[in-house]
Amino acid sequence: MRAGEVLVQGEDLGAWTMAQRVGWDALTPAQQWMLDSVLGLEPVGEAEQPPARRTQADR
């Protein structure tokens, strides 16, 4: 386990949270509402966008 990592039933909550925020537009309105209303999550902002993944060809 890495420092600062929080696991619940084997799931890294930090990674899960970021995945929800990055993929916000792919979520249903009900899912967005739940994340916002219950957990206080919002979609990632411009400054928080993770770097684009490089393909094998790019490397």
Side-chain angles (χ1 to χ4, degrees):
M1 185 154 90
R2 294 175 300 216
E5 188 175 70
V6 177
L7 298 177
V8 173
Q9 295 181 356
E11 182 78 35
D12 179 351
L13 292 185
W16 179 85
T17 298
M18 184 55 79
Q20 304 316 300
R21 295 181 67 219
V22 168
W24 192 269
D25 292 337
L27 300 173
T28 66
Q31 290 170 316
Q32 292 173 353
W33 180 86
M34 289 289 287
L35 289 171
D36 180 33
S37 298
V38 177
L39 299 178
L41 297 179
E42 297 177 343
V44 292
E46 290 286 327
E48 295 178 288
Q49 285 289 342
R53 289 188 155 182
R54 294 174 50 196
T55 65
Q56 195 75 6
D58 291 340
R59 293 180 197 162

